[in-house]
Amino acid sequence: MPTLCKERGNRWRGIVKIAGKVVETRLFGQGPAKGEEWMAARQWEMDRRKELLDPSQANCAPVLTPLDWGVSYLEDAKSRWSAKTFEEKKASMLRFLEYAKDVPLADYTANFARAYLQRQNDTRSGYASNRDRKVLMNAWTWGQAFLSERGFPERTNPFEAVKRYPEQRKPRRVPSEADFWKAFDMARGQDRTMLLAVLHLAARKGEVFRLRWSDVDMDGGKVRLVTEKTGGKGQSVTWLPMTRELQNALEAWKRDRPYKTEWVFTQLDDTPSPNHRPGEAYISRQHLLKRLCARAGVEKFDVHAIRHLSAVILYRAGYKVSFIQRVLRHKHPVQTETYLQSHGIDLEELRKGMEVFDGRGPAGDVVPAQKENPQGCNLGGSIYTAGVHTQLN
């Protein structure tokens, strides 16, 4: 197995042993354990050992190994997916390769796939097992399409044959407005502006991390949000108007920011991160709200929960679900309703209550296409101005 060579700059060293003796070594690049450089060193060890034990095989076409398959798939995935999605795929692939070890691809049966996925279900969760299943299923399909000339098995996808496992997800904790503002009061500088942007734009975490100053139109009073589409299908772009409060906060941050880069929000000198790059965009901020909530004495919530809170604020201000759907940039209204229901707003109960209007008067045989929000439209209580409705339609 490859070893970390610290005296040579933390590079991985492939080691070939025969009969317990080291017969050959080779240095590879830096990288995390089970990362790409580690895998390259491991593959070299296996190939070189075969050549030394059976020289007649040295000039033969190499057999496609599971490691070949995994590395080839990840190299392609890296150019097609966002950094976060790629890391998730990489983690799933490395977990499986560690389990499969040197089992040939030709021996990957449905039972072999089920044994691995069952272990993930038992030791992690059904949700985690299903995520690995999806990655491996796609990787197998990719291998059949692009590695067939190298001998990739033509059999039915073994991972697809395994049915999905039941999932029990923990409900997301959506804060009350009071809890959000208590945590917000604990933030300083850039963190306050970032949290305000998430709330006022109902933004996703990745959208805020990817925000560039070229996406902020101060004169026009609007912000461009770039969303990574699922399935590696590129990006979607949406312009949303800024509230006066958010625009003032962004103008102040742009003036006072320590790093004059293209990114609106950047890693600072005191950023606690294993991949600390001052002046560069954030990839993750796992501990920000955990720290702020602890200081404020409120139950912990995450960044995405603020997006849920934005939906609740708009609903309670009197806006219809169809309007909130457009602000959140949801494809289907059911997803928007799920956000609202997570905060105790029972839309189904409202629907049943509104059915009292059905069948009344001469239009009794007409079924309304959409039931309206029974609340008054109090725009003053919203985080948006009245102009938003016009700009979004």
mmCIF file of all heavy atoms in Angstrom, residues 143-183:
data_model
loop_
_atom_site.group_PDB
_atom_site.id
_atom_site.type_symbol
_atom_site.label_atom_id
_atom_site.label_comp_id
_atom_site.label_asym_id
_atom_site.label_seq_id
_atom_site.Cartn_x
_atom_site.Cartn_y
_atom_site.Cartn_z
ATOM 1 N N GLY A 143 -19.097 3.741 -17.599
ATOM 2 C CA GLY A 143 -18.050 2.793 -17.968
ATOM 3 C C GLY A 143 -18.418 1.979 -19.198
ATOM 4 O O GLY A 143 -17.585 1.739 -20.075
ATOM 5 N N GLN A 144 -19.684 1.562 -19.291
ATOM 6 C CA GLN A 144 -20.119 0.803 -20.460
ATOM 7 C C GLN A 144 -20.081 1.647 -21.724
ATOM 8 O O GLN A 144 -19.844 1.136 -22.814
ATOM 9 C CB GLN A 144 -21.530 0.258 -20.228
ATOM 10 C CG GLN A 144 -21.582 -0.855 -19.200
ATOM 11 C CD GLN A 144 -22.965 -1.448 -19.057
ATOM 12 O OE1 GLN A 144 -23.961 -0.742 -19.131
ATOM 13 N NE2 GLN A 144 -23.036 -2.752 -18.852
ATOM 14 N N ALA A 145 -20.305 2.960 -21.572
ATOM 15 C CA ALA A 145 -20.325 3.841 -22.736
ATOM 16 C C ALA A 145 -18.922 4.217 -23.211
ATOM 17 O O ALA A 145 -18.674 4.338 -24.411
ATOM 18 C CB ALA A 145 -21.126 5.107 -22.419
ATOM 19 N N PHE A 146 -17.979 4.378 -22.265
ATOM 20 C CA PHE A 146 -16.680 4.937 -22.634
ATOM 21 C C PHE A 146 -15.485 4.014 -22.394
ATOM 22 O O PHE A 146 -14.369 4.348 -22.786
ATOM 23 C CB PHE A 146 -16.464 6.258 -21.877
ATOM 24 C CG PHE A 146 -17.482 7.308 -22.210
ATOM 25 C CD1 PHE A 146 -18.517 7.586 -21.340
ATOM 26 C CD2 PHE A 146 -17.418 8.000 -23.410
ATOM 27 C CE1 PHE A 146 -19.472 8.545 -21.644
ATOM 28 C CE2 PHE A 146 -18.362 8.960 -23.730
ATOM 29 C CZ PHE A 146 -19.393 9.235 -22.846
ATOM 30 N N LEU A 147 -15.701 2.879 -21.728
ATOM 31 C CA LEU A 147 -14.589 1.972 -21.468
ATOM 32 C C LEU A 147 -14.813 0.595 -22.084
ATOM 33 O O LEU A 147 -14.130 -0.371 -21.727
ATOM 34 C CB LEU A 147 -14.371 1.823 -19.948
ATOM 35 C CG LEU A 147 -14.016 3.104 -19.189
ATOM 36 C CD1 LEU A 147 -13.909 2.818 -17.690
ATOM 37 C CD2 LEU A 147 -12.719 3.719 -19.700
ATOM 38 N N SER A 148 -15.768 0.505 -22.993
ATOM 39 C CA SER A 148 -16.068 -0.807 -23.596
ATOM 40 C C SER A 148 -14.872 -1.367 -24.366
ATOM 41 O O SER A 148 -14.626 -2.580 -24.358
ATOM 42 C CB SER A 148 -17.281 -0.681 -24.526
ATOM 43 O OG SER A 148 -17.022 0.273 -25.554
ATOM 44 N N GLU A 149 -14.102 -0.496 -25.018
ATOM 45 C CA GLU A 149 -12.945 -0.956 -25.785
ATOM 46 C C GLU A 149 -11.834 -1.489 -24.892
ATOM 47 O O GLU A 149 -10.938 -2.186 -25.366
ATOM 48 C CB GLU A 149 -12.409 0.174 -26.665
ATOM 49 C CG GLU A 149 -13.389 0.625 -27.740
ATOM 50 C CD GLU A 149 -12.824 1.738 -28.587
ATOM 51 O OE1 GLU A 149 -11.708 2.224 -28.264
ATOM 52 O OE2 GLU A 149 -13.480 2.151 -29.557
ATOM 53 N N ARG A 150 -11.892 -1.143 -23.623
ATOM 54 C CA ARG A 150 -10.881 -1.615 -22.678
ATOM 55 C C ARG A 150 -11.374 -2.829 -21.890
ATOM 56 O O ARG A 150 -10.744 -3.248 -20.933
ATOM 57 C CB ARG A 150 -10.473 -0.486 -21.727
ATOM 58 C CG ARG A 150 -9.827 0.698 -22.425
ATOM 59 C CD ARG A 150 -9.444 1.774 -21.445
ATOM 60 N NE ARG A 150 -8.501 1.290 -20.433
ATOM 61 C CZ ARG A 150 -8.101 2.015 -19.389
ATOM 62 N NH1 ARG A 150 -8.549 3.257 -19.228
ATOM 63 N NH2 ARG A 150 -7.264 1.509 -18.516
ATOM 64 N N GLY A 151 -12.515 -3.365 -22.309
ATOM 65 C CA GLY A 151 -12.993 -4.593 -21.685
ATOM 66 C C GLY A 151 -13.972 -4.407 -20.552
ATOM 67 O O GLY A 151 -14.131 -5.320 -19.725
ATOM 68 N N PHE A 152 -14.652 -3.255 -20.487
ATOM 69 C CA PHE A 152 -15.632 -3.068 -19.409
ATOM 70 C C PHE A 152 -16.782 -4.052 -19.605
ATOM 71 O O PHE A 152 -17.266 -4.242 -20.720
ATOM 72 C CB PHE A 152 -16.162 -1.633 -19.411
ATOM 73 C CG PHE A 152 -16.857 -1.253 -18.136
ATOM 74 C CD1 PHE A 152 -16.146 -0.716 -17.074
ATOM 75 C CD2 PHE A 152 -18.222 -1.450 -17.982
ATOM 76 C CE1 PHE A 152 -16.776 -0.375 -15.888
ATOM 77 C CE2 PHE A 152 -18.867 -1.114 -16.802
ATOM 78 C CZ PHE A 152 -18.142 -0.579 -15.756
ATOM 79 N N PRO A 153 -17.258 -4.693 -18.534
ATOM 80 C CA PRO A 153 -18.307 -5.713 -18.648
ATOM 81 C C PRO A 153 -19.573 -5.177 -19.317
ATOM 82 O O PRO A 153 -19.972 -4.033 -19.083
ATOM 83 C CB PRO A 153 -18.586 -6.098 -17.187
ATOM 84 C CG PRO A 153 -17.329 -5.760 -16.467
ATOM 85 C CD PRO A 153 -16.785 -4.544 -17.145
ATOM 86 N N GLU A 154 -20.195 -6.005 -20.123
ATOM 87 C CA GLU A 154 -21.407 -5.619 -20.835
ATOM 88 C C GLU A 154 -22.668 -6.031 -20.093
ATOM 89 O O GLU A 154 -23.767 -5.777 -20.572
ATOM 90 C CB GLU A 154 -21.396 -6.249 -22.237
ATOM 91 C CG GLU A 154 -20.255 -5.760 -23.122
ATOM 92 C CD GLU A 154 -20.298 -6.386 -24.504
ATOM 93 O OE1 GLU A 154 -21.221 -7.203 -24.758
ATOM 94 O OE2 GLU A 154 -19.421 -6.063 -25.332
ATOM 95 N N ARG A 155 -22.543 -6.661 -18.955
ATOM 96 C CA ARG A 155 -23.706 -7.169 -18.229
ATOM 97 C C ARG A 155 -24.591 -6.030 -17.711
ATOM 98 O O ARG A 155 -24.203 -4.867 -17.678
ATOM 99 C CB ARG A 155 -23.254 -8.035 -17.058
ATOM 100 C CG ARG A 155 -22.570 -7.268 -15.948
ATOM 101 C CD ARG A 155 -22.663 -8.048 -14.623
ATOM 102 N NE ARG A 155 -22.181 -9.406 -14.779
ATOM 103 C CZ ARG A 155 -20.958 -9.800 -14.457
ATOM 104 N NH1 ARG A 155 -20.089 -8.912 -13.984
ATOM 105 N NH2 ARG A 155 -20.582 -11.041 -14.596
ATOM 106 N N THR A 156 -25.786 -6.405 -17.267
ATOM 107 C CA THR A 156 -26.733 -5.451 -16.704
ATOM 108 C C THR A 156 -26.128 -4.739 -15.500
ATOM 109 O O THR A 156 -25.373 -5.333 -14.717
ATOM 110 C CB THR A 156 -28.029 -6.172 -16.272
ATOM 111 O OG1 THR A 156 -28.558 -6.869 -17.394
ATOM 112 C CG2 THR A 156 -29.054 -5.186 -15.751
ATOM 113 N N ASN A 157 -26.450 -3.485 -15.352
ATOM 114 C CA ASN A 157 -25.922 -2.669 -14.262
ATOM 115 C C ASN A 157 -26.244 -3.325 -12.914
ATOM 116 O O ASN A 157 -27.420 -3.407 -12.525
ATOM 117 C CB ASN A 157 -26.550 -1.274 -14.334
ATOM 118 C CG ASN A 157 -25.831 -0.268 -13.463
ATOM 119 O OD1 ASN A 157 -25.381 -0.582 -12.376
ATOM 120 N ND2 ASN A 157 -25.732 0.950 -13.943
ATOM 121 N N PRO A 158 -25.240 -3.796 -12.160
ATOM 122 C CA PRO A 158 -25.513 -4.512 -10.900
ATOM 123 C C PRO A 158 -26.067 -3.604 -9.813
ATOM 124 O O PRO A 158 -26.805 -4.064 -8.941
ATOM 125 C CB PRO A 158 -24.142 -5.081 -10.511
ATOM 126 C CG PRO A 158 -23.155 -4.171 -11.174
ATOM 127 C CD PRO A 158 -23.804 -3.736 -12.453
ATOM 128 N N PHE A 159 -25.736 -2.334 -9.856
ATOM 129 C CA PHE A 159 -26.203 -1.413 -8.813
ATOM 130 C C PHE A 159 -27.655 -1.014 -9.044
ATOM 131 O O PHE A 159 -28.402 -0.765 -8.097
ATOM 132 C CB PHE A 159 -25.299 -0.176 -8.778
ATOM 133 C CG PHE A 159 -23.860 -0.503 -8.547
ATOM 134 C CD1 PHE A 159 -22.960 -0.562 -9.611
ATOM 135 C CD2 PHE A 159 -23.388 -0.782 -7.280
ATOM 136 C CE1 PHE A 159 -21.632 -0.885 -9.412
ATOM 137 C CE2 PHE A 159 -22.059 -1.112 -7.059
ATOM 138 C CZ PHE A 159 -21.177 -1.174 -8.133
ATOM 139 N N GLU A 160 -28.050 -0.978 -10.313
ATOM 140 C CA GLU A 160 -29.439 -0.649 -10.632
ATOM 141 C C GLU A 160 -30.380 -1.759 -10.196
ATOM 142 O O GLU A 160 -31.556 -1.524 -9.909
ATOM 143 C CB GLU A 160 -29.573 -0.398 -12.131
ATOM 144 C CG GLU A 160 -30.909 0.172 -12.545
ATOM 145 C CD GLU A 160 -30.948 0.542 -14.002
ATOM 146 O OE1 GLU A 160 -29.968 0.253 -14.731
ATOM 147 O OE2 GLU A 160 -31.964 1.133 -14.438
ATOM 148 N N ALA A 161 -29.864 -2.988 -10.135
ATOM 149 C CA ALA A 161 -30.695 -4.130 -9.735
ATOM 150 C C ALA A 161 -31.077 -4.077 -8.258
ATOM 151 O O ALA A 161 -32.054 -4.701 -7.844
ATOM 152 C CB ALA A 161 -29.953 -5.437 -10.026
ATOM 153 N N VAL A 162 -30.329 -3.324 -7.452
ATOM 154 C CA VAL A 162 -30.604 -3.213 -6.015
ATOM 155 C C VAL A 162 -31.640 -2.120 -5.790
ATOM 156 O O VAL A 162 -31.457 -0.988 -6.238
ATOM 157 C CB VAL A 162 -29.316 -2.893 -5.227
ATOM 158 C CG1 VAL A 162 -29.611 -2.872 -3.728
ATOM 159 C CG2 VAL A 162 -28.229 -3.908 -5.555
ATOM 160 N N LYS A 163 -32.721 -2.441 -5.126
ATOM 161 C CA LYS A 163 -33.764 -1.456 -4.868
ATOM 162 C C LYS A 163 -33.305 -0.434 -3.821
ATOM 163 O O LYS A 163 -32.472 -0.721 -2.970
ATOM 164 C CB LYS A 163 -35.037 -2.148 -4.383
ATOM 165 C CG LYS A 163 -35.700 -3.017 -5.443
ATOM 166 C CD LYS A 163 -36.997 -3.603 -4.922
ATOM 167 C CE LYS A 163 -37.683 -4.441 -5.998
ATOM 168 N NZ LYS A 163 -38.969 -5.021 -5.509
ATOM 169 N N ARG A 164 -33.884 0.751 -3.916
ATOM 170 C CA ARG A 164 -33.564 1.810 -2.960
ATOM 171 C C ARG A 164 -33.966 1.387 -1.547
ATOM 172 O O ARG A 164 -34.927 0.644 -1.351
ATOM 173 C CB ARG A 164 -34.290 3.098 -3.328
ATOM 174 C CG ARG A 164 -33.764 3.780 -4.576
ATOM 175 C CD ARG A 164 -34.665 4.934 -4.974
ATOM 176 N NE ARG A 164 -34.833 5.872 -3.886
ATOM 177 C CZ ARG A 164 -34.027 6.888 -3.614
ATOM 178 N NH1 ARG A 164 -32.970 7.091 -4.392
ATOM 179 N NH2 ARG A 164 -34.252 7.695 -2.612
ATOM 180 N N TYR A 165 -33.233 1.902 -0.570
ATOM 181 C CA TYR A 165 -33.516 1.618 0.833
ATOM 182 C C TYR A 165 -34.433 2.701 1.418
ATOM 183 O O TYR A 165 -34.395 3.860 0.970
ATOM 184 C CB TYR A 165 -32.214 1.554 1.639
ATOM 185 C CG TYR A 165 -31.395 0.325 1.344
ATOM 186 C CD1 TYR A 165 -30.488 0.303 0.286
ATOM 187 C CD2 TYR A 165 -31.546 -0.827 2.100
ATOM 188 C CE1 TYR A 165 -29.746 -0.833 0.000
ATOM 189 C CE2 TYR A 165 -30.800 -1.976 1.828
ATOM 190 C CZ TYR A 165 -29.909 -1.960 0.772
ATOM 191 O OH TYR A 165 -29.185 -3.083 0.477
ATOM 192 N N PRO A 166 -35.246 2.344 2.406
ATOM 193 C CA PRO A 166 -36.105 3.353 3.049
ATOM 194 C C PRO A 166 -35.249 4.442 3.691
ATOM 195 O O PRO A 166 -34.192 4.158 4.259
ATOM 196 C CB PRO A 166 -36.862 2.540 4.112
ATOM 197 C CG PRO A 166 -36.776 1.121 3.653
ATOM 198 C CD PRO A 166 -35.454 0.994 2.948
ATOM 199 N N GLU A 167 -35.707 5.667 3.577
ATOM 200 C CA GLU A 167 -34.964 6.799 4.132
ATOM 201 C C GLU A 167 -35.753 7.444 5.260
ATOM 202 O O GLU A 167 -36.969 7.614 5.166
ATOM 203 C CB GLU A 167 -34.692 7.847 3.044
ATOM 204 C CG GLU A 167 -33.820 7.345 1.910
ATOM 205 C CD GLU A 167 -33.547 8.423 0.869
ATOM 206 O OE1 GLU A 167 -33.878 9.599 1.143
ATOM 207 O OE2 GLU A 167 -33.023 8.097 -0.208
ATOM 208 N N GLN A 168 -35.060 7.779 6.312
ATOM 209 C CA GLN A 168 -35.664 8.495 7.434
ATOM 210 C C GLN A 168 -34.825 9.746 7.693
ATOM 211 O O GLN A 168 -33.843 9.715 8.422
ATOM 212 C CB GLN A 168 -35.710 7.623 8.689
ATOM 213 C CG GLN A 168 -36.629 6.415 8.557
ATOM 214 C CD GLN A 168 -36.676 5.588 9.823
ATOM 215 O OE1 GLN A 168 -35.852 5.743 10.717
ATOM 216 N NE2 GLN A 168 -37.659 4.705 9.912
ATOM 217 N N ARG A 169 -35.215 10.813 7.043
ATOM 218 C CA ARG A 169 -34.464 12.055 7.189
ATOM 219 C C ARG A 169 -34.968 12.854 8.391
ATOM 220 O O ARG A 169 -36.172 12.906 8.665
ATOM 221 C CB ARG A 169 -34.606 12.924 5.938
ATOM 222 C CG ARG A 169 -34.055 12.279 4.678
ATOM 223 C CD ARG A 169 -33.854 13.328 3.617
ATOM 224 N NE ARG A 169 -33.636 12.755 2.307
ATOM 225 C CZ ARG A 169 -33.357 13.465 1.238
ATOM 226 N NH1 ARG A 169 -33.272 14.771 1.321
ATOM 227 N NH2 ARG A 169 -33.168 12.891 0.061
ATOM 228 N N LYS A 170 -34.037 13.468 9.058
ATOM 229 C CA LYS A 170 -34.383 14.318 10.188
ATOM 230 C C LYS A 170 -34.940 15.635 9.668
ATOM 231 O O LYS A 170 -34.336 16.259 8.792
ATOM 232 C CB LYS A 170 -33.136 14.586 11.042
ATOM 233 C CG LYS A 170 -33.423 15.368 12.304
ATOM 234 C CD LYS A 170 -32.144 15.554 13.115
ATOM 235 C CE LYS A 170 -32.403 16.348 14.385
ATOM 236 N NZ LYS A 170 -31.160 16.540 15.172
ATOM 237 N N PRO A 171 -36.113 16.062 10.153
ATOM 238 C CA PRO A 171 -36.695 17.311 9.660
ATOM 239 C C PRO A 171 -35.739 18.484 9.879
ATOM 240 O O PRO A 171 -35.054 18.572 10.890
ATOM 241 C CB PRO A 171 -37.965 17.472 10.502
ATOM 242 C CG PRO A 171 -38.280 16.097 10.990
ATOM 243 C CD PRO A 171 -36.957 15.415 11.171
ATOM 244 N N ARG A 172 -35.710 19.366 8.890
ATOM 245 C CA ARG A 172 -34.830 20.532 9.001
ATOM 246 C C ARG A 172 -35.361 21.496 10.057
ATOM 247 O O ARG A 172 -36.554 21.769 10.120
ATOM 248 C CB ARG A 172 -34.744 21.250 7.654
ATOM 249 C CG ARG A 172 -33.764 22.426 7.665
ATOM 250 C CD ARG A 172 -33.747 23.127 6.319
ATOM 251 N NE ARG A 172 -33.294 22.242 5.280
ATOM 252 C CZ ARG A 172 -32.011 21.999 4.998
ATOM 253 N NH1 ARG A 172 -31.070 22.602 5.687
ATOM 254 N NH2 ARG A 172 -31.676 21.177 4.028
ATOM 255 N N ARG A 173 -34.462 21.989 10.854
ATOM 256 C CA ARG A 173 -34.824 22.965 11.882
ATOM 257 C C ARG A 173 -34.910 24.348 11.227
ATOM 258 O O ARG A 173 -33.920 24.880 10.717
ATOM 259 C CB ARG A 173 -33.781 22.930 12.987
ATOM 260 C CG ARG A 173 -33.459 24.241 13.667
ATOM 261 C CD ARG A 173 -34.446 24.635 14.722
ATOM 262 N NE ARG A 173 -33.909 25.744 15.508
ATOM 263 C CZ ARG A 173 -34.652 26.728 16.006
ATOM 264 N NH1 ARG A 173 -35.937 26.741 15.804
ATOM 265 N NH2 ARG A 173 -34.096 27.690 16.713
ATOM 266 N N VAL A 174 -36.126 24.905 11.169
ATOM 267 C CA VAL A 174 -36.338 26.237 10.605
ATOM 268 C C VAL A 174 -36.495 27.207 11.766
ATOM 269 O O VAL A 174 -37.391 27.043 12.599
ATOM 270 C CB VAL A 174 -37.583 26.272 9.700
ATOM 271 C CG1 VAL A 174 -37.788 27.664 9.133
ATOM 272 C CG2 VAL A 174 -37.438 25.256 8.578
ATOM 273 N N PRO A 175 -35.652 28.229 11.856
ATOM 274 C CA PRO A 175 -35.706 29.119 13.016
ATOM 275 C C PRO A 175 -36.899 30.064 12.946
ATOM 276 O O PRO A 175 -37.444 30.328 11.871
ATOM 277 C CB PRO A 175 -34.397 29.905 12.901
ATOM 278 C CG PRO A 175 -34.160 29.987 11.422
ATOM 279 C CD PRO A 175 -34.626 28.652 10.885
ATOM 280 N N SER A 176 -37.292 30.554 14.082
ATOM 281 C CA SER A 176 -38.256 31.654 14.110
ATOM 282 C C SER A 176 -37.523 32.934 13.735
ATOM 283 O O SER A 176 -36.289 32.982 13.732
ATOM 284 C CB SER A 176 -38.853 31.789 15.513
ATOM 285 O OG SER A 176 -37.825 32.158 16.448
ATOM 286 N N GLU A 177 -38.281 33.952 13.407
ATOM 287 C CA GLU A 177 -37.640 35.244 13.105
ATOM 288 C C GLU A 177 -36.827 35.734 14.295
ATOM 289 O O GLU A 177 -35.721 36.260 14.134
ATOM 290 C CB GLU A 177 -38.701 36.276 12.724
ATOM 291 C CG GLU A 177 -39.109 36.259 11.280
ATOM 292 C CD GLU A 177 -39.847 37.524 10.891
ATOM 293 O OE1 GLU A 177 -39.190 38.552 10.639
ATOM 294 O OE2 GLU A 177 -41.101 37.469 10.849
ATOM 295 N N ALA A 178 -37.378 35.547 15.482
ATOM 296 C CA ALA A 178 -36.699 36.024 16.687
ATOM 297 C C ALA A 178 -35.344 35.337 16.849
ATOM 298 O O ALA A 178 -34.328 35.986 17.143
ATOM 299 C CB ALA A 178 -37.564 35.785 17.916
ATOM 300 N N ASP A 179 -35.306 34.007 16.623
ATOM 301 C CA ASP A 179 -34.041 33.272 16.752
ATOM 302 C C ASP A 179 -33.046 33.690 15.675
ATOM 303 O O ASP A 179 -31.839 33.779 15.927
ATOM 304 C CB ASP A 179 -34.294 31.764 16.667
ATOM 305 C CG ASP A 179 -34.843 31.201 17.966
ATOM 306 O OD1 ASP A 179 -34.976 31.975 18.939
ATOM 307 O OD2 ASP A 179 -35.153 29.997 18.004
ATOM 308 N N PHE A 180 -33.549 33.926 14.460
ATOM 309 C CA PHE A 180 -32.637 34.358 13.398
ATOM 310 C C PHE A 180 -31.972 35.672 13.770
ATOM 311 O O PHE A 180 -30.742 35.820 13.644
ATOM 312 C CB PHE A 180 -33.373 34.523 12.072
ATOM 313 C CG PHE A 180 -32.532 35.202 11.024
ATOM 314 C CD1 PHE A 180 -31.581 34.494 10.312
ATOM 315 C CD2 PHE A 180 -32.668 36.568 10.786
ATOM 316 C CE1 PHE A 180 -30.778 35.128 9.366
ATOM 317 C CE2 PHE A 180 -31.866 37.210 9.841
ATOM 318 C CZ PHE A 180 -30.927 36.484 9.128
ATOM 319 N N TRP A 181 -32.757 36.646 14.234
ATOM 320 C CA TRP A 181 -32.177 37.963 14.525
ATOM 321 C C TRP A 181 -31.254 37.925 15.746
ATOM 322 O O TRP A 181 -30.293 38.686 15.817
ATOM 323 C CB TRP A 181 -33.282 38.999 14.702
ATOM 324 C CG TRP A 181 -34.001 39.290 13.424
ATOM 325 C CD1 TRP A 181 -35.310 39.041 13.129
ATOM 326 C CD2 TRP A 181 -33.422 39.856 12.240
ATOM 327 N NE1 TRP A 181 -35.594 39.417 11.848
ATOM 328 C CE2 TRP A 181 -34.451 39.932 11.278
ATOM 329 C CE3 TRP A 181 -32.156 40.312 11.902
ATOM 330 C CZ2 TRP A 181 -34.242 40.434 9.986
ATOM 331 C CZ3 TRP A 181 -31.938 40.823 10.630
ATOM 332 C CH2 TRP A 181 -32.974 40.882 9.696
ATOM 333 N N LYS A 182 -31.532 37.008 16.668
ATOM 334 C CA LYS A 182 -30.610 36.858 17.793
ATOM 335 C C LYS A 182 -29.251 36.356 17.312
ATOM 336 O O LYS A 182 -28.200 36.849 17.744
ATOM 337 C CB LYS A 182 -31.186 35.881 18.828
ATOM 338 C CG LYS A 182 -32.353 36.435 19.637
ATOM 339 C CD LYS A 182 -32.898 35.383 20.604
ATOM 340 C CE LYS A 182 -34.089 35.918 21.384
ATOM 341 N NZ LYS A 182 -34.653 34.876 22.299
ATOM 342 N N ALA A 183 -29.261 35.360 16.424
ATOM 343 C CA ALA A 183 -28.003 34.860 15.863
ATOM 344 C C ALA A 183 -27.343 35.928 14.995
ATOM 345 O O ALA A 183 -26.120 36.094 15.021
ATOM 346 C CB ALA A 183 -28.259 33.589 15.053
#
